Amino acid sequence: MKPVNVGLVGLGTVGCGTVSVLRRNENEICRRAGRSIQVSHAAVRDPQKERSCDLSDITLTTDPFEVVDNPEIEIIVELIGGESLSLEIVLRAIRNGKHVVTANKALIAIHGNEIFSAAQEQGVTVAFEAAVGGGISIIKALREGLAGNCIEWLAGIINGTGNFILSEMRDAKRDFSDVLAEAQARGYAEADPSFDVDGIDAAHKLTILASIAFGIPLQYNQVYVEGISALEQDDVEYATELGYRIKHLGIAKRVDEGIELRVHPTLIPERRLIANVDGVMNAILVKGDAVGPTLYYGAGAGAEPTASAVVADIVDVTRTLTSDPHNRVPHLAFQPGSLGSPEILPVERSETAYYLRMNAVNRPGVLAEVTRIFGDLKISIESILQKDRGDHESVVPIIILTQHTKEFRLDQALVELEKLDNVNGKIVRIRVETLK
Amino acid sequence: MKPVNVGLVGLGTVGCGTVSVLRRNENEICRRAGRSIQVSHAAVRDPQKERSCDLSDITLTTDPFEVVDNPEIEIIVELIGGESLSLEIVLRAIRNGKHVVTANKALIAIHGNEIFSAAQEQGVTVAFEAAVGGGISIIKALREGLAGNCIEWLAGIINGTGNFILSEMRDAKRDFSDVLAEAQARGYAEADPSFDVDGIDAAHKLTILASIAFGIPLQYNQVYVEGISALEQDDVEYATELGYRIKHLGIAKRVDEGIELRVHPTLIPERRLIANVDGVMNAILVKGDAVGPTLYYGAGAGAEPTASAVVADIVDVTRTLTSDPHNRVPHLAFQPGSLGSPEILPVERSETAYYLRMNAVNRPGVLAEVTRIFGDLKISIESILQKDRGDHESVVPIIILTQHTKEFRLDQALVELEKLDNVNGKIVRIRVETLK
């Protein structure tokens, strides 16, 4: 059969990785797909720029629409990032009846509903495995591998930079800002690191995972997001002492009243496999009602791991070229007409356990004052750790692990606690998940 | 659209689990597949037997061929196990133009080549996700998710009973036979536990994984198999002391000369995620050239985890009902005409590191005698641990970790070592993999 022609838009890190992988594994990929796959055209900003991949036989242009409008091309791979020009490119490719592969999580999280509805109308596929978890085929696992399950919850380490920072804070007892500077120097973090450390990147990915897990439209604006920049070394150490690790998790959970969608630093019992995922690696833990807990682990970023997912999507699309659109795997795992609309709960209505650290004056009766507040609000305490018991009247940290409670109740406790004369300053609050 | 009719052959643990999952998640599954899926007929040995699942609206029969020959049924699910009647059933279903889903690893490992060639001829699909790793969608991950990669190696904990035994031996410092008895009492191990503890079950699964990873025919007879029944508590403890865990792994590795296929107890550095997979859980670590290491973790057995994979296969088949056979995902990941034939290497030609434990007489010069043998054979020693340094002339264990070497060379060393007057009895030899 004649080769499938692929047009690349964007030849940065992932674009070059894709060209390299397609070339190096040409034989292996053709043995799998039954057709050879070749990048025939690529749109780049600067055609003169030195690139690490072999561009022979690839026609370069600076006009992305020249690629998108080329009738010889069957699959468009969008790798320019951002959500403005990329949206235009993807929609035009769809209108031209082409299948699309993209690694662009912001684009899918924010404009996915519009994109998939256009694709549905045209009977083409938009594949986006590379948008979440790099080379981990988590989209496929959720959409196909767990198709028999009602997904109860998922929790993922889905930002490698953030995980690198937290791993270093723990292993090397270094401070946040110190490790962040190193991550930037090593090229892990963006020059503007806010996408990583403020949780925006993780929120984009969580939006996509939740939609596929539960069969709901993409709702990026409803995700509660908290980054890792406020984490202090002390809390990393106390968490370790209590038998926990702190990870920056994206959590999507189905509860009776609706869906919880939240990204925040989280204490996890150290015995959980996901608590031991270190450095730039990603992992997603998924709980299905039939299968129980399953975990998917791998490199969440980087040229070739991301290219691995891009190429898998290209092979998938190639394999579905003859199948009736109705019988293909739906974009959001569930048929377009059957997406649900459970309420996405504001974080105040979510329920979890909490780690709290407060600075208290070392006086008789302080612990009684503190615990009375929890008792009055019907919040059970799991354990209390009182550190560095110093002199009378000195300020000492008190660490409290609560049992599960609704967040609005915990918020009330914090207000009451901060009013106490014997408690100084702001109380540190980190959520705890047992992930069972 | 009208529902897809499924015929079950076998209503044991997994069969009942499949009926329960299809019923409980009927709505969720239909939202995904776009059609409802119903078990219309089931063949059982004893129709009177009490079963844990709801059988209403399912026509029971004692004749499996009545189900297989029923023209109303599109998908046959084979869940009787064994490899004689099941082969007959699957081949007849294929001849009848029906798609087949099976959880039968022995059947696929031993008769898969014949089955897939018949399926290819008829243009039907035989899906077998449930045959390996229970609810972990490892077949899909290898076949589709990693389709862009050249797979370098994979290593899996693919027998839950064996892993439960090893976990207990380590955590509770119990002996093999003691834990095995408990596993049998708890229903994890078969009454005849040889499939689990002798590695036969793992070898079936490894055969399937290797074939899909490398694009080679199924070659069960070529797998080197070593069970866990000879493992001693001492070695579990020394391994821990050296910073390792012992796991029973199935390993498939592509090397210059061919393919290594082996199942045996293995020391793994304790920092590796897979070293921390405990109890009856399974995990498969896969190294692709583009993606790097990826890991897939979940329940490897049990009614509903296995049913999760069976139902995923049913949904997959439903989704491909209209696609041209040529464009479907090939059974063994690679197109039937393009399977390779690299040599499957005998275990003597495989290369790995080794843990050795020998009983030596505590005399001056013994260590020199021992290490000279390694030196002469050009085997480098990684570390030596001499335990319980007792009285002069007493017998003490010497533990040696070697660096990587060909197994035939290590075999020579063992012969030489066992000839030494100062070394008593047989030397314990366990392979070591760094899994990097």
Side-chain angles (χ1 to χ4, degrees):
Chain A
M1 290 184 81
K2 80 176 176 47
V4 177
N5 282 332
V6 172
L8 284 191
V9 180
L11 257 182
T13 314
V14 177
C16 262
T18 302
V19 170
S20 299
V21 169
L22 281 171
R23 281 193 200 276
R24 188 176 68 234
N25 294 341
E26 185 182 2
N27 177 41
E28 208 74 348
I29 293 166
C30 178
R31 284 211 295 148
R32 287 192 176 101
R35 287 173 73 176
S36 58
I37 290 166
Q38 63 182 28
V39 177
S40 59
H41 294 74
V44 295
R45 227 175 326 197
D46 175 7
Q48 305 310 325
K49 194 176 151 192
E50 274 291 318
R51 287 182 166 81
S52 61
C53 52
D54 172 7
L55 297 177
S56 51
D57 303 325
I58 301 179
T59 308
L60 294 191
T61 166
T62 54
D63 177 10
F65 296 100
E66 204 181 292
V67 176
V68 170
D69 294 342
N70 186 319
E72 302 286 296
I73 294 174
E74 289 179 85
I75 303 172
I76 296 290
V77 179
E78 181 279 306
L79 298 170
I80 57 169
E83 31 150 330
S84 162
L85 178 58
S86 62
L87 177 62
E88 221 182 308
I89 287 166
V90 166
L91 290 177
R92 180 126 139 213
I94 292 169
R95 269 199 309 275
N96 288 342
K98 297 185 195 306
H99 300 284
V100 174
V101 172
T102 176
N104 192 331
K105 52 245 171 184
L107 177 71
I108 298 297
I110 297 168
H111 302 290
N113 298 322
E114 178 187 356
I115 290 170
F116 299 143
S117 130
Q120 191 68 22
E121 236 168 74
Q122 285 287 328
V124 298
T125 298
V126 175
F128 51 96
E129 181 65 72
V132 186
I136 308 171
S137 51
I138 181 63
I139 305 279
K140 185 177 285 289
L142 276 172
R143 195 153 60 173
E144 305 172 40
L146 301 178
N149 289 262
C150 182
I151 306 293
E152 296 176 358
W153 52 261
L154 60 86
I157 296 173
I158 44 183
N159 180 276
T161 309
N163 201 49
F164 170 77
I165 294 174
L166 292 181
S167 302
E168 280 293 299
M169 283 178 76
R170 179 177 170 274
D171 289 348
K173 298 196 192 307
R174 294 166 63 188
D175 276 334
F176 172 79
S177 50
D178 182 24
V179 188
L180 174 60
E182 184 194 327
Q184 285 175 298
R186 286 166 71 160
Y188 296 162
E190 307 291 327
D192 170 2
S194 70
F195 265 50
D196 295 321
V197 302
D198 293 341
I200 298 167
D201 177 72
H204 286 147
K205 293 166 178 169
L206 182 69
T207 302
I208 298 172
L209 291 178
S211 186
I212 289 172
F214 304 131
I216 56 176
L218 295 148
Q219 294 162 81
Y220 171 67
N221 290 332
Q222 308 247 32
V223 181
Y224 170 79
V225 190
E226 197 179 303
I228 57 171
S229 51
L231 274 183
E232 291 177 40
Q233 180 58 40
D234 276 357
D235 296 310
V236 173
E237 282 178 41
Y238 295 147
T240 304
E241 204 170 316
L242 289 160
Y244 290 80
R245 299 270 189 283
I246 302 183
K247 293 291 177 191
H248 196 209
L249 293 187
I251 297 172
K253 194 183 279 183
R254 193 199 295 259
V255 295
D256 287 346
E257 304 131 80
I259 307 271
E260 297 179 10
L261 290 183
R262 42 198 171 88
V263 171
H264 52 70
T266 317
L267 272 75
I268 315 172
E270 65 188 1
R271 288 283 307 221
R272 298 278 174 281
L273 215 50
I274 197 170
N276 295 288
V277 170
D278 289 325
V280 293
M281 302 305 277
N282 282 13
I284 301 103
L285 179 57
V286 182
K287 175 85 188 299
D289 69 336
V291 75
T294 57
L295 180 133
Y296 310 84
Y297 163 92
E304 294 218 349
T306 310
S308 168
V310 168
V311 175
D313 274 349
I314 296 174
V315 172
D316 266 5
V317 169
T318 302
R319 283 170 173 166
T320 61
L321 286 177
T322 67
S323 82
D324 176 335
H326 177 84
N327 285 276
R328 292 189 204 136
V329 181
H331 291 105
L332 290 177
F334 295 78
Q335 300 292 330
S338 73
L339 296 186
S341 51
E343 184 182 2
I344 309 297
L345 303 174
V347 74
E348 295 74 29
R349 287 173 59 195
S350 68
E351 190 178 302
T352 180
Y354 295 86
Y355 161 101
L356 303 174
R357 175 168 59 85
M358 60 202 79
N359 290 313
V361 183
N362 191 7
R363 258 177 216 156
V366 173
L367 220 48
E369 281 184 337
V370 166
T371 52
R372 190 189 42 77
I373 290 176
F374 290 97
D376 289 351
L377 287 162
K378 308 229 180 313
I379 300 170
S380 301
I381 291 175
E382 175 78 29
S383 60
I384 298 187
L385 192 68
Q386 200 166 348
K387 296 300 298 178
D388 314 313
R389 199 168 247 300
D391 300 331
H392 185 67
E393 296 288 322
S394 65
V395 171
V396 295
I398 297 178
I399 292 106
I400 293 181
L401 280 185
T402 75
Q403 292 186 357
H404 267 233
T405 181
K406 289 275 186 196
E407 180 138 329
F408 66 83
R409 209 166 284 175
L410 199 277
D411 288 342
Q412 276 176 274
L414 289 181
V415 170
E416 299 290 321
L417 287 164
E418 288 183 351
K419 274 194 215 149
L420 292 179
D421 287 339
N422 289 323
V423 170
N424 296 352
K426 228 181 131 41
I427 298 173
V428 170
R429 183 263 313 271
I430 309 176
R431 295 170 188 85
V432 181
E433 294 281 348
T434 51
L435 301 181
K436 269 188 137 162
Chain B
M1 290 184 79
K2 79 176 177 45
V4 177
N5 283 332
V6 171
L8 283 191
V9 180
L11 256 183
T13 313
V14 177
C16 261
T18 302
V19 169
S20 299
V21 169
L22 281 171
R23 282 193 199 276
R24 187 177 69 235
N25 294 342
E26 185 182 2
N27 177 41
E28 208 74 347
I29 292 167
C30 179
R31 283 211 296 147
R32 288 191 177 102
R35 288 173 71 177
S36 58
I37 290 166
Q38 64 184 26
V39 176
S40 59
H41 295 74
V44 294
R45 226 173 328 195
D46 174 8
Q48 306 310 324
K49 194 176 152 192
E50 274 292 319
R51 286 184 166 80
S52 60
C53 53
D54 173 6
L55 297 177
S56 52
D57 303 324
I58 301 179
T59 308
L60 294 191
T61 166
T62 54
D63 177 11
F65 296 100
E66 204 181 292
V67 176
V68 171
D69 294 340
N70 186 320
E72 301 286 296
I73 295 173
E74 289 179 84
I75 302 172
I76 296 292
V77 179
E78 182 278 307
L79 297 171
I80 56 168
E83 31 151 330
S84 160
L85 179 58
S86 63
L87 178 62
E88 221 182 310
I89 287 167
V90 166
L91 290 177
R92 180 125 141 214
I94 292 169
R95 269 199 309 274
N96 288 342
K98 295 184 196 309
H99 300 284
V100 174
V101 172
T102 176
N104 191 332
K105 52 244 169 184
L107 178 70
I108 297 298
I110 297 169
H111 301 289
N113 298 322
E114 178 188 357
I115 291 170
F116 299 142
S117 132
Q120 192 67 22
E121 236 169 74
Q122 286 287 330
V124 298
T125 297
V126 176
F128 51 96
E129 182 65 73
V132 186
I136 308 171
S137 50
I138 182 63
I139 304 279
K140 185 177 285 290
L142 276 172
R143 196 154 58 173
E144 305 171 41
L146 301 179
N149 288 261
C150 183
I151 306 293
E152 297 177 357
W153 52 262
L154 60 86
I157 296 173
I158 45 182
N159 179 276
T161 309
N163 201 49
F164 170 76
I165 293 174
L166 292 182
S167 303
E168 280 293 299
M169 282 178 77
R170 180 177 169 275
D171 288 349
K173 297 196 194 305
R174 293 165 64 188
D175 275 334
F176 172 79
S177 50
D178 182 27
V179 188
L180 174 60
E182 184 194 327
Q184 285 175 299
R186 286 166 71 160
Y188 295 162
E190 307 292 325
D192 169 2
S194 70
F195 265 50
D196 295 322
V197 302
D198 293 341
I200 299 167
D201 177 71
H204 286 146
K205 293 167 178 168
L206 182 68
T207 301
I208 298 171
L209 292 178
S211 185
I212 289 172
F214 304 131
I216 56 175
L218 296 148
Q219 295 162 80
Y220 170 67
N221 291 331
Q222 309 247 33
V223 181
Y224 170 79
V225 191
E226 198 179 302
I228 57 172
S229 50
L231 274 183
E232 291 177 40
Q233 180 59 37
D234 275 357
D235 297 310
V236 173
E237 281 178 42
Y238 294 148
T240 305
E241 203 170 315
L242 289 159
Y244 291 80
R245 300 270 190 283
I246 302 183
K247 293 291 178 192
H248 195 209
L249 294 187
I251 297 172
K253 193 183 280 183
R254 193 198 296 258
V255 295
D256 288 346
E257 304 132 80
I259 307 271
E260 298 180 8
L261 290 183
R262 41 197 172 90
V263 171
H264 53 70
T266 316
L267 271 76
I268 314 171
E270 66 189 359
R271 288 282 307 221
R272 299 277 174 282
L273 216 51
I274 197 171
N276 296 288
V277 170
D278 289 325
V280 294
M281 302 305 277
N282 283 13
I284 300 102
L285 180 57
V286 182
K287 175 86 188 298
D289 69 336
V291 75
T294 57
L295 181 134
Y296 310 85
Y297 162 92
E304 294 218 349
T306 309
S308 168
V310 168
V311 174
D313 273 348
I314 296 174
V315 172
D316 266 4
V317 168
T318 302
R319 282 169 174 166
T320 60
L321 285 178
T322 67
S323 81
D324 177 334
H326 178 83
N327 285 277
R328 292 189 204 137
V329 180
H331 290 105
L332 291 176
F334 295 78
Q335 300 293 328
S338 73
L339 295 186
S341 51
E343 185 182 2
I344 308 299
L345 302 173
V347 75
E348 295 73 29
R349 287 173 60 195
S350 67
E351 191 177 302
T352 179
Y354 295 86
Y355 162 101
L356 303 174
R357 175 169 58 86
M358 61 202 78
N359 291 314
V361 184
N362 190 7
R363 260 179 215 154
V366 173
L367 221 48
E369 279 184 336
V370 166
T371 52
R372 189 188 44 76
I373 290 175
F374 289 97
D376 289 351
L377 287 161
K378 309 228 179 313
I379 301 170
S380 301
I381 291 175
E382 175 79 29
S383 60
I384 297 187
L385 193 67
Q386 200 167 348
K387 295 302 297 181
D388 315 311
R389 201 168 248 299
D391 301 331
H392 184 67
E393 296 288 320
S394 66
V395 172
V396 295
I398 297 177
I399 292 106
I400 294 181
L401 280 186
T402 75
Q403 291 187 358
H404 268 233
T405 182
K406 290 276 186 195
E407 180 139 328
F408 67 82
R409 210 166 282 175
L410 199 277
D411 287 341
Q412 276 177 274
L414 289 182
V415 170
E416 299 288 321
L417 287 165
E418 288 183 349
K419 274 194 214 149
L420 292 178
D421 287 340
N422 289 323
V423 170
N424 295 351
K426 227 180 131 40
I427 297 172
V428 170
R429 184 261 316 269
I430 308 176
R431 296 171 188 82
V432 181
E433 294 281 349
T434 51
L435 300 180
K436 268 190 141 161

